Amino acid sequence: MDVVVADVSPAIDNCDEKMLPKVDMLFDGENEAYEFYNVYAEMVGFFVRRSTLWTTSKNIITRRTFVCSREGFREKKRGTKEAKCPRPETRIGCPASMTIRLNANGKYRLTEFVPNHNHQLATASTMHMLKAKKIRLKARAVRENLVDDTVRTPEFESEDEAYEFYSMYAGKIGFNVRRASMTMNAENIITRRMFVCSKEGFREKKRGAKGVKKPRPETRTGCPACMVIRLASNGKYHVTEFVTFHNHPLGAAVPCDLVATSQSTETGQDDGMDVVDGSADANIHKQNLISDNTMAASLESRINKRFKCTKVPHNGDIGATLEYLQKMQHDKPSFFFAVKSDDDGNLTNFLWADSKSIMDFVHFGDVVCLDSAYALQGYGRPLALFTGLNHHKQTIIFAAALLYDESAEAFRWLFDAFKMAMNGTQPKTLLTDRSAAISEGAAASWPATAHRYCVWQIYQNALQQLSQAFHGSRTLEYSFKKCLFDCEDEPEFLTAWREMLEKYDLEDNKWLADLFSLKEKWALPYGRDAFCADMKSVQQKESLGIELKKHLSLEFGLLSFFQQFERVLCDRRSAELQADVEASQSTKKPPPMRVLRQACNVYTPSAFKMFEREFELYMDCMLYNCGEMGTVSEYKVTIEDNQMDHFVKFDSLNSRLSCSCKGFEFIGIPCRHMLKVLDTRNIKDLPPQYILRRWRKDAKSGSSNGSYSFPFDSDPQLAQTKRYNLLCRIFSIAAARAATSVDTSAYMENQSSILMDQVEQALETRPPDMAAIIGAHSNQTQNPIDNIITGSLTFPFTLGAGALDYH
């Protein structure tokens, strides 16, 4: 038998040179290479199949070969008899192939290309027919875009509504729609309808028609894109099939007011099939353009609502969540929770915090990190955590939330509810993931809070976005982490970033380019004024997500998650209690230096380590006097191995310092440059204002003046209200514990009388105008929430005895 060697030269000659595979071509991903080879194959006349691949332990593809569908030979199954009518052999060992390999820059390079085939190639018309048939068979059950486990399946009141919806979708994507086949019952009601791309099928040739000198150009390409609806038992139409693939280039997205309707004239006959013209330049349809902007806006609103990223709660999750929250509030009256509903009355978002978390916020709520990775990245259940750092540099949880609605309005609700739980107080700094919805919500609810993107969450996202590049190079991850965590000066950061892009050939990486354009929101040199309490270093060592990730899976009931969440809270609080004991009972020998002894006595061991490091580094600093102006002296501080100079101002009147490195403002520990100036001025004790209470061993105890880590509002009436709410929470904890037995309840009642006498004596000695406030509050059983919401946002709950109740 003679081997047929197909000549691909004629097909290649007609191809655009850019579409021809060439060795050393680069692709951003394996899928991009596959699509490229598919386009080439369609022009030449064969089908492509993915073949051999090599992967890493983390399933990163390092090498892939794409072959002609007729490569190899069909394997004969062992033990099977020879069939009377065997299937025709389609594989004949065709050698045509294309191989790609992963480069160090994360891109795939074409390393081998074999163009020759050992069989006849298909014609263009045959290719279109075979491809359309193949795709339709694979796309019977729709499981992408419109129908997904986390998105509601579209439901329509009528066939016309479904048509309008698909037409608007088509306008946004860039193609035209046509009504196709339908099925009707005996009552002439449409039970099934298919909507297709206008390029579906092929133009039929009329029988007996002679050849036309100037035939109309062929516009149909057998496109398989379609949407099929069926009439359900509830009288509404449900989507049963949805194919997104088009075998032709798509046009530009069409604005609402340019969507047009017309009768299809493509086949030369009136077949009653409507078409939406997706081209703004289609002058022949201008008379049919929608002129009513209100109608167009309504259609756009409806399609946007259908594609909105609102997750559907797993069956039973809403009831389980409400049951848990109500039980917690029943067992612990000071427990706080809030619930949000959508326009249809469906419960979408939940936030909760217990009294210990709220008290933790009083002491350590200066910086808050919203970890919404599980809410935004499509895990089983959309958990979000408000976390912070205590004085031992341990991660603590202020509040938790389930976010099935992730819109900007929903995040605004989240921030307002959190602020309400914390007695109307908001943090100095908020760290979040890079999200437009979160940014908009934070700006609306907490305008006075410095909002920064969390570098640790950026790093976690980079592990996904740059996974191929990280696996293509052993040192790229180190260089990227240096840019994120180690560069404190702007010149150092810019140099490190530029060198990373050049070394690993990442200048064209879009994700990195977008990230760099927002560097002022996350890069350390640009956010030194925002207090972060060294959150970045702690996040690199531990992650709450690992402990909770497994129980967020839909394989487990939500009760399992709540139980694990309670265990995590308990474990972390036990660790904090253990750290408190160790800090108060330290047996280490006191340091010889006076300032170190002072720091060792007041700071927790974790905070002292940060101070000790700065103290050690200050020994290498050199100081130069730059002059004086009144009581203020300015100094230049340099380090031999560091080209960056820092300037420190010292006011001898009140011992106040300010350094250009902003280390104290950023972490809350005096920097090496400030320590050098203090030593030069013969000041051997740290000024009190530079020992932050949040890092002290006694951070959780009341200060001498009765204030906490951050002061209440300057408004006396509001300050008294907040103090009252805070005391209610404190004493409700004690009351809940005491009520568990008769003896403790009687003891609590006796002690309350003694305490009340002491309070009355204090009021007589220094009478603030507080008795009226307490009396006014004690007569109220429920206070509506006023002056909390701005704009049109409303809360579907009211404030009761230390908790938010949904109604």
Side-chain angles (χ1 to χ4, degrees):
M1 178 178 175
D2 295 332
V3 177
V4 178
V5 179
D7 185 8
V8 298
S9 300
I12 291 178
D13 291 341
N14 295 326
C15 291
D16 186 347
E17 187 175 350
K18 295 180 180 179
M19 303 309 297
L20 297 179
K22 296 178 182 177
V23 174
D24 291 334
M25 291 182 72
L26 295 178
F27 304 95
D28 288 333
E30 185 258 358
N31 284 331
E32 182 181 323
Y34 176 65
E35 292 172 3
F36 170 81
Y37 195 46
N38 262 305
V39 173
Y40 165 78
E42 186 173 346
M43 292 186 297
V44 173
F46 67 96
F47 288 106
V48 175
R49 190 177 76 248
R50 282 181 168 98
S51 184
T52 313
L53 82 159
W54 287 259
T55 63
T56 66
S57 59
K58 295 187 177 180
N59 292 327
I60 300 297
I61 297 175
T62 57
R63 179 183 174 188
R64 166 72 87 175
T65 298
F66 307 105
V67 299
C68 172
S69 61
R70 309 193 73 177
E71 178 267 350
F73 298 92
R74 184 190 303 155
E75 295 182 3
K76 293 183 179 181
K77 296 182 180 179
R78 294 180 180 179
T80 57
K81 297 181 180 180
E82 187 174 347
K84 294 181 178 179
C85 298
R87 288 166 47 200
E89 180 62 66
T90 55
R91 295 196 183 184
I92 55 176
C94 180
S97 66
M98 184 180 87
T99 301
I100 57 173
R101 290 177 182 268
L102 182 63
N103 272 10
N105 62 358
K107 296 186 178 182
Y108 287 91
R109 183 172 65 89
L110 198 159
T111 58
E112 186 178 352
F113 173 60
V114 180
N116 296 328
H117 296 258
N118 63 357
H119 56 88
Q120 293 292 338
L121 299 173
T123 62
S125 60
T126 305
M127 285 291 295
H128 283 312
M129 293 176 64
L130 292 174
K131 194 170 185 179
K133 182 179 179 181
K134 185 178 180 181
I135 292 171
R136 285 210 184 278
L137 289 175
K138 287 185 177 181
R140 280 298 173 193
V142 55
R143 286 296 181 269
E144 51 183 332
N145 286 16
L146 288 181
V147 180
D148 185 82
D149 291 338
T150 59
V151 182
R152 291 186 179 92
T153 302
E155 187 178 68
F156 307 101
E157 297 291 339
S158 66
E159 184 259 1
D160 286 333
E161 183 182 349
Y163 173 66
E164 290 177 357
F165 167 73
Y166 193 49
S167 298
M168 184 59 70
Y169 165 78
K172 285 180 173 288
I173 300 300
F175 68 97
N176 306 332
V177 174
R178 191 175 74 247
R179 279 184 169 100
S181 62
M182 68 174 177
T183 304
M184 302 178 69
N185 60 18
E187 298 175 353
N188 291 328
I189 296 177
I190 297 176
T191 58
R192 180 184 180 276
R193 166 69 87 175
M194 173 182 280
F195 306 104
V196 298
C197 172
S198 62
K199 292 183 178 289
E200 180 268 350
F202 296 93
R203 184 188 302 155
E204 296 181 2
K205 293 183 179 180
K206 295 182 179 180
R207 294 182 179 178
K210 297 181 179 179
V212 183
K213 291 183 179 180
K214 292 184 179 180
R216 286 189 302 151
E218 178 62 67
T219 57
R220 296 199 182 185
T221 62
C223 180
C226 69
M227 183 178 84
V228 178
I229 58 172
R230 288 182 183 272
L231 186 64
S233 57
N234 62 355
K236 297 182 180 181
Y237 290 91
H238 288 192
V239 175
T240 60
E241 184 176 342
F242 183 70
V243 181
T244 59
F245 178 79
H246 294 262
N247 63 1
H248 56 87
L250 296 173
V254 186
C256 306
D257 54 351
L258 292 181
V259 177
T261 59
S262 70
Q263 293 296 317
S264 174
T265 58
E266 188 177 5
T267 61
Q269 58 188 13
D270 186 5
D271 55 21
M273 297 181 181
D274 295 336
V275 61
V276 175
D277 192 341
S279 171
D281 297 325
N283 295 325
I284 60 173
H285 297 306
K286 279 186 178 179
Q287 67 273 21
N288 293 320
L289 292 178
I290 296 176
S291 58
D292 188 349
N293 290 331
T294 303
M295 177 182 177
S298 175
L299 287 174
E300 184 172 25
S301 174
R302 286 162 68 185
I303 191 168
N304 285 337
K305 184 176 181 180
R306 296 209 187 262
F307 281 107
K308 186 179 178 180
C309 292
T310 302
K311 292 181 172 62
V312 178
H314 190 57
N315 187 30
D317 279 4
I318 295 297
T321 303
L322 284 176
E323 181 180 355
Y324 168 77
L325 297 178
Q326 291 168 355
K327 181 180 182 300
M328 290 294 292
Q329 190 182 59
H330 178 270
D331 295 342
K332 303 176 181 179
S334 57
F335 185 83
F336 175 102
F337 76 89
V339 182
K340 181 184 183 300
S341 63
D342 61 17
D343 296 337
D344 299 325
N346 300 315
L347 306 186
T348 58
N349 290 354
F350 305 85
L351 178 134
W352 67 92
D354 65 10
S355 55
K356 176 64 169 67
S357 293
I358 295 170
M359 287 304 301
D360 283 342
F361 182 82
V362 171
H363 304 302
F364 308 113
D366 39 18
V367 54
V368 170
C369 178
L370 174 60
D371 185 356
S372 57
Y374 294 107
L376 299 178
Q377 295 180 9
Y379 289 86
R381 291 183 174 93
L383 175 70
L385 296 175
F386 285 94
T387 63
L389 285 186
N390 64 15
H391 52 329
H392 301 294
K393 293 182 68 174
Q394 297 169 325
T395 302
I396 52 177
I397 299 176
F398 296 134
L402 289 173
L403 305 177
Y404 294 100
D405 179 1
E406 298 155 8
S407 63
E409 179 185 347
F411 277 107
R412 182 178 177 183
W413 170 90
L414 182 69
F415 293 127
D416 282 337
F418 180 84
K419 181 178 178 179
M420 195 174 304
M422 305 304 160
N423 297 304
T425 308
Q426 63 193 53
K428 295 178 181 178
T429 306
L430 173 67
L431 305 175
T432 73
D433 199 358
R434 193 158 58 107
S435 163
I438 294 178
S439 297
E440 185 178 336
S445 296
W446 297 353
T449 296
H451 180 207
R452 304 279 301 165
Y453 294 146
C454 178
V455 289
W456 175 249
Q457 294 183 23
I458 289 176
Y459 170 68
Q460 293 296 312
N461 292 335
L463 293 179
Q464 299 178 13
Q465 299 291 338
L466 304 175
S467 58
Q468 295 176 353
F470 282 161
H471 283 85
S473 169
R474 295 181 179 180
T475 57
L476 171 59
E477 185 175 357
Y478 169 80
S479 299
F480 184 71
K481 290 177 73 173
K482 178 183 177 182
C483 294
L484 284 183
F485 303 116
D486 299 334
C487 296
E488 298 181 354
D489 302 321
E490 183 178 16
E492 180 187 8
F493 166 75
L494 295 176
T495 300
W497 188 271
R498 184 181 66 254
E499 290 176 350
M500 177 186 70
L501 297 183
E502 293 175 352
K503 181 177 180 180
Y504 302 103
D505 192 21
L506 293 170
E507 290 94 338
D508 298 330
N509 187 284
K510 187 177 184 301
W511 188 83
L512 284 175
D514 292 341
L515 182 63
F516 184 76
S517 67
L518 299 171
K519 61 183 181 297
E520 287 79 8
K521 290 284 287 184
W522 60 267
L524 298 185
Y526 304 98
R528 305 291 290 180
D529 287 323
F531 180 71
C532 291
D534 203 29
M535 181 80 80
K536 63 180 179 66
S537 66
V538 175
Q539 289 174 324
Q540 292 179 72
K541 298 176 183 176
E542 59 172 294
S543 174
L544 280 170
I546 298 175
E547 302 175 55
L548 296 172
K549 179 179 178 180
K550 176 182 177 182
H551 296 269
L552 288 171
S553 170
L554 297 179
E555 297 177 4
F556 298 89
L558 198 58
L559 179 60
S560 171
F561 162 73
F562 286 126
Q563 291 173 343
Q564 178 65 11
F565 179 76
E566 291 296 327
R567 280 195 291 269
V568 169
L569 271 181
C570 184
D571 291 344
R572 291 187 172 269
R573 289 169 181 176
S574 297
E576 180 180 347
L577 183 60
Q578 181 66 29
D580 285 339
V581 173
E582 292 176 357
S584 62
Q585 299 178 352
S586 177
T587 57
K588 287 185 177 181
K589 184 179 179 180
M593 304 288 290
R594 179 173 171 178
V595 68
L596 282 178
R597 284 200 304 272
Q598 178 195 15
C600 182
N601 289 332
V602 296
Y603 285 138
T604 63
S606 297
F608 178 70
K609 283 183 179 179
M610 292 191 291
F611 179 85
E612 191 175 33
R613 179 177 179 273
E614 294 297 323
F615 183 84
E616 291 171 354
L617 291 173
Y618 114 81
M619 305 294 290
D620 295 330
C621 293
M622 295 174 287
L623 184 141
Y624 303 92
N625 194 333
C626 297
E628 299 181 2
M629 183 175 290
T631 60
V632 178
S633 302
E634 185 172 3
Y635 301 91
K636 182 176 75 171
V637 182
T638 64
I639 300 177
E640 185 176 356
D641 297 333
N642 193 335
Q643 298 179 355
M644 188 74 177
D645 296 334
H646 292 284
F647 295 88
V648 181
K649 291 183 179 180
F650 174 78
D651 191 339
S652 58
L653 187 65
N654 50 22
S655 297
R656 291 196 173 276
L657 301 111
S658 63
C659 179
S660 59
C661 80
K662 302 292 184 181
F664 178 75
E665 290 82 354
F666 188 64
I667 295 179
I669 297 292
C671 66
R672 64 206 70 166
H673 316 110
M674 295 169 63
L675 295 178
K676 184 68 177 180
V677 171
L678 289 174
D679 184 57
T680 303
R681 304 283 303 201
N682 291 321
I683 299 176
K684 303 303 179 182
D685 290 323
L686 284 176
Q689 63 265 36
Y690 296 108
I691 304 178
L692 287 192
R693 171 164 290 278
R694 66 120 46 241
W695 292 127
R696 293 172 59 107
K697 295 177 183 179
D698 59 352
K700 292 185 289 186
S701 62
S703 63
S704 57
N705 61 2
S707 63
Y708 288 92
S709 329
F710 44 95
F712 287 116
D713 252 282
S714 56
D715 182 355
Q717 182 77 13
L718 183 59
Q720 290 173 346
T721 302
K722 289 179 179 178
R723 287 198 295 269
Y724 167 76
N725 290 334
L726 178 61
L727 290 173
C728 281
R729 295 192 187 280
I730 294 173
F731 285 104
S732 66
I733 298 171
R737 294 291 296 162
T740 57
S741 75
V742 176
D743 293 339
T744 55
S745 180
Y747 175 78
M748 183 77 173
E749 185 177 356
N750 180 57
Q751 291 298 313
S752 64
S753 300
I754 299 174
L755 180 61
M756 194 62 199
D757 292 339
Q758 294 174 345
V759 170
E760 290 297 338
Q761 292 177 9
L763 288 173
E764 291 175 4
T765 305
R766 185 183 176 187
D769 193 15
M770 190 172 186
I773 298 293
I774 296 176
H777 279 286
S778 61
N779 292 330
Q780 289 181 327
T781 57
Q782 199 174 59
N783 295 325
I785 296 177
D786 297 322
N787 303 323
I788 296 294
I789 316 305
T790 58
S792 60
L793 186 62
T794 58
F795 279 82
F797 43 64
T798 54
L799 181 62
L804 285 179
D805 299 314
Y806 178 83
H807 70 168

